[in-house]
Amino acid sequence: MLSPWRSELSFIFLALLFGAFFGKLFNQPALVLWLCLAAYLARHLFYAHRLIIWLRGGRANELPRGDGMWEEIYYLIFRLRRRNKRRKKQLIRMLERFRTATAALPDATVVLGPRDQIDWFNEAAGRLLGLRRCDIGQKIGNLLRYPKFTHYLRHADYQTTVGIPSPAAENVQLEIRIVPYGEDLRLLVAQDVTQLRFMERVRTDFVANVSHELRTPLTVLKGYLETLSDAADAVPEAYEKVFQRMAEQTARMQSLVDGLLSLTRLESATRQLTQNRVNVPALLTLVCEEAQLLSDKHPTLDLQIESDADLLGSEQELRSAFSNLVVNAMKYSPPSAWVTVRWSDEGQRARLDVEDTGPGIAPEHLPRLTERFYRVDVEGSKSGSGLGLAIVKHVLVRHGAELKIASVPGKGSCFSCCFPAKRVVRTERPIAHEIHA
Ligand code: ADP
């Protein structure tokens, strides 16, 4: 078969030959040539017209007849249409599958457009968020009118989630997450967390109640043991050690109960963080003085106040966090070690480092240190509840701060708390706090 261009050129050549022959025959070359050109143009117009009709509404799977280059043009367009049709079918099938899958999801899913308008939503969104077909095109902020949600939508910090009550189902708690995708599109996913929240509350209440109930018997037990140790003469020598151990274990249990109660208090989400101005240099001085009173033989403590920054937050919580870090450094380091407590600036931020030259912690323990009850069990390690660092972490999270732990076994550890600029308040104050002991 000739190539389309060759057949078209031979067609033109034949037309010219035909024109030249009849032009010569009738002695009218210009007129015959003009007639030939007009016929050639009419042929193109005819095929172009056929193409338009076919493209407009003709059957896509029927190839129109043509010759010369039109045959090739028809064939190429036919192939393109067939391919597009196949691709469209595939896309429709995929979309159908996606819609059936998202419709079956138990979580409410809403596709939001660039102006926060609802483009699509699944069945669960109707049930949990109360959306109806007629809401398509409406702004989501006009339908879910909760200040927390409006703030979340406006500030676009999609790393976090926001909790709201369901506007459609009674007593249902939702956790909403927005996931950006594509260009200016976002997926809003609302999960029913009622059961989860209930279980969390049950757990927190249980721990709080048990800890609270244990307090009274522990205090009574401690009182009796103190009375016994005061009346040393009345206690047979054989029992002295027993009572001593009992007193130690009671103290340990008391610290566990206190730690659990502190954690429960920190964890209860309803508790708003107090926003007092906390004089950190004074607080650290106090914490260091107290830490030194805990035992007679303790490492050398060096408090370095290099910043006049104060913090916005809860003095009670910060005191408990700082105290845990300093007491740990003093408790786990031998008397020959050094403990340095440094309060310094880090640009607009502020930082507390509690560094010691104690035994250090093996790297495999570092990621788990802030878990509740996690303790590094090494021979001769001091007793503890394993709750101290969990409390520190919670306090820091509530203050928007970060805990960094660096440690080299045999060399020492450094626990750093980095506070964000929005929590730092500065005033001109002479930097004069230094204690060595
Ligand atoms: P604990 O009540 O046992 O001290 P923490 O949560 O405060 O509980 O600490 C968890 C574990 O981390 C401790 O058991 C201890 O082994 C280790 N640890 C904490 N601080 C230090 C430190 N400064 N040096 C060495 N080990 C430490």
Side-chain angles (χ1 to χ4, degrees):
M1 198 181 137
L2 288 176
S3 83
W5 277 115
R6 263 223 222 136
S7 84
E8 193 63 28
L9 286 175
S10 41
F11 190 80
I12 295 170
F13 178 71
L14 274 176
L16 286 175
L17 205 70
F18 179 80
F21 174 72
F22 281 99
K24 195 128 187 103
L25 190 70
F26 297 111
N27 205 19
Q28 287 281 358
L31 178 68
V32 173
L33 197 69
W34 190 89
L35 280 173
C36 284
L37 278 178
Y40 183 69
L41 188 67
R43 174 179 160 269
H44 276 306
L45 286 177
F46 171 72
Y47 282 136
H49 176 68
R50 185 177 266 186
L51 176 67
I52 289 171
I53 288 181
W54 181 54
L55 288 179
R56 262 207 199 129
R59 290 187 182 165
N61 47 5
E62 256 176 37
L63 181 64
R65 280 160 54 91
D67 53 39
M69 68 181 197
W70 283 101
E71 191 181 0
E72 181 74 5
I73 290 173
Y74 286 160
Y75 174 69
L76 290 177
I77 294 176
F78 172 74
R79 210 172 60 177
L80 214 66
R81 288 183 90 185
R82 208 170 45 183
R83 207 179 294 157
N84 275 352
K85 209 172 149 191
R86 224 178 294 139
R87 214 170 282 164
K88 209 162 128 190
K89 260 191 193 161
Q90 259 174 1
L91 273 176
I92 289 173
R93 232 177 292 137
M94 250 171 66
L95 200 68
E96 272 309 310
R97 272 209 297 263
F98 170 76
R99 285 202 170 181
T100 338
T102 39
L105 276 181
D107 297 341
T109 314
V110 185
V111 174
L112 297 178
R115 291 176 295 106
D116 294 339
Q117 82 279 14
I118 301 170
D119 281 351
W120 178 85
F121 62 85
N122 68 351
E123 256 174 54
R127 208 174 53 248
L128 295 174
L129 299 173
L131 299 183
R132 290 162 302 158
R133 289 279 141 229
C134 58
D135 292 332
I136 289 195
Q138 296 263 20
K139 288 192 175 185
I140 188 82
N142 294 343
L143 299 169
L144 299 180
R145 292 175 163 275
Y146 297 94
K148 269 200 289 182
F149 177 71
T150 315
H151 182 270
Y152 178 65
L153 197 66
R154 279 214 198 112
H155 289 78
D157 176 14
Y158 301 139
Q159 300 297 319
T160 55
T161 56
V162 64
I164 60 162
S166 162
E170 222 175 301
N171 295 330
V172 171
Q173 283 298 318
L174 299 176
E175 191 167 82
I176 293 189
R177 173 181 287 278
I178 293 184
V179 190
Y181 75 99
E183 250 180 55
D184 271 352
L185 288 178
R186 277 160 305 158
L187 199 69
L188 180 150
V189 183
Q191 193 184 9
D192 180 352
V193 288
T194 319
Q195 197 61 16
L196 201 74
R197 293 276 177 276
F198 175 71
M199 297 305 284
E200 269 171 17
R201 212 174 41 248
V202 169
R203 182 184 62 90
T204 319
D205 288 355
F206 175 75
V207 174
N209 288 340
V210 168
S211 312
H212 196 75
E213 292 303 321
L214 277 174
R215 261 186 159 180
T216 320
L218 271 175
T219 315
V220 174
L221 211 63
K222 207 172 148 212
Y224 280 134
L225 285 167
E226 272 167 10
T227 315
L228 281 171
S229 75
D230 287 346
D233 298 343
V235 177
E237 215 175 297
Y239 291 115
E240 251 178 48
K241 259 225 147 39
V242 176
F243 289 132
Q244 198 188 329
R245 294 302 290 275
M246 280 170 75
E248 277 169 20
Q249 293 306 318
T250 316
R252 185 158 177 240
M253 250 167 104
Q254 186 131 34
S255 104
L256 260 170
V257 167
D258 289 346
L260 278 174
L261 276 173
S262 305
L263 262 179
T264 315
R265 250 178 275 137
L266 287 170
E267 273 180 351
S268 65
T270 44
R271 244 182 114 239
Q272 285 292 314
L273 180 65
T274 41
Q275 298 284 357
N276 294 331
R277 182 176 178 156
V278 182
N279 182 339
V280 179
L283 181 65
L284 286 174
T285 311
L286 194 73
V287 164
C288 289
E289 279 167 2
E290 280 174 0
Q292 289 175 97
L293 297 177
L294 285 178
S295 71
D296 295 337
K297 280 188 170 183
H298 56 72
T300 313
L301 178 65
D302 182 12
L303 172 64
Q304 300 177 357
I305 302 290
E306 296 172 3
S307 162
D308 63 348
D310 287 347
L311 287 175
L312 274 183
S314 153
E315 173 153 4
Q316 192 201 355
E317 289 181 18
L318 289 171
R319 180 177 176 163
S320 140
F322 295 169
S323 172
N324 269 311
L325 291 177
V326 179
V327 168
N328 271 356
M330 299 289 274
K331 185 166 77 173
Y332 292 110
S333 306
S336 58
W338 272 81
V339 172
T340 311
V341 178
R342 193 180 309 107
W343 179 239
S344 59
D345 288 327
E346 200 181 50
Q348 293 296 305
R349 309 194 306 163
R351 177 184 178 117
L352 172 74
D353 293 301
V354 180
E355 203 172 351
D356 64 63
T357 56
I361 306 157
E364 66 268 24
H365 297 297
L366 295 182
R368 301 195 56 193
L369 279 188
T370 54
E371 285 174 23
R372 289 157 173 247
F373 299 113
Y374 191 84
R375 301 189 54 241
V376 183
D377 266 330
V378 284
E379 222 176 297
S381 70
K382 309 278 191 313
S383 66
S385 61
L387 293 173
L389 290 177
I391 293 176
V392 173
K393 193 185 152 198
H394 265 87
V395 171
L396 293 189
V397 167
R398 278 168 66 80
H399 286 79
E402 197 188 347
L403 175 68
K404 292 181 184 163
I405 309 173
S407 187
V408 180
K411 294 231 160 118
S413 317
C414 181
F415 291 76
S416 309
C417 312
C418 307
F419 291 89
K422 65 176 182 193
R423 290 255 159 225
V424 178
V425 197
R426 290 170 208 279
T427 35
E428 305 299 313
R429 192 169 50 209
I431 302 170
H433 301 268
E434 288 262 320
I435 64 165
H436 296 272

